[in-house]
Amino acid sequence: MTCPHAPCHARPHQSCIVRVNGRVLEKPHDSRITAWAVLVACCPDCQVEPGIPCHYEGRQLDDAHARRIREAKETLT
């Protein structure tokens, strides 16, 4: 998946970078991790299916719940 972080936009299967100096980051931007978690995991907190953003009291969240991110990471192992 392409990194949604505005200055980065790393393509799928490429590491995130700092555009100013071209430095490759050791881990993906948080927004890329969140987008990936929303794509692949159900959220135990708000009970939504993969592909549907997390919500709180009827309002869509910009980030995913921490439990959803953990759930997505568990699918990797």
Side-chain angles (χ1 to χ4, degrees):
M1 109 177 315
T2 302
C3 181
H5 185 72
C8 178
H9 294 296
R11 293 185 179 159
H13 309 291
Q14 289 183 332
S15 298
C16 289
I17 61 169
V18 177
R19 289 273 180 205
V20 175
N21 59 16
R23 183 173 58 94
V24 176
L25 299 177
E26 291 182 22
K27 65 176 194 161
H29 286 105
D30 289 338
S31 57
R32 192 175 199 178
I33 294 170
T34 297
W36 167 75
V38 168
L39 187 66
V40 302
C42 294
C43 181
D45 286 344
C46 59
Q47 303 295 312
V48 294
E49 296 178 0
I52 300 172
C54 289
H55 61 85
Y56 180 73
E57 295 183 355
R59 296 181 59 202
Q60 182 176 327
L61 301 175
D62 293 332
D63 291 329
H65 287 109
R67 287 180 61 195
R68 187 177 202 172
I69 293 171
R70 282 194 305 272
E71 184 85 16
K73 288 179 179 178
E74 287 176 9
T75 65
L76 291 175
T77 58

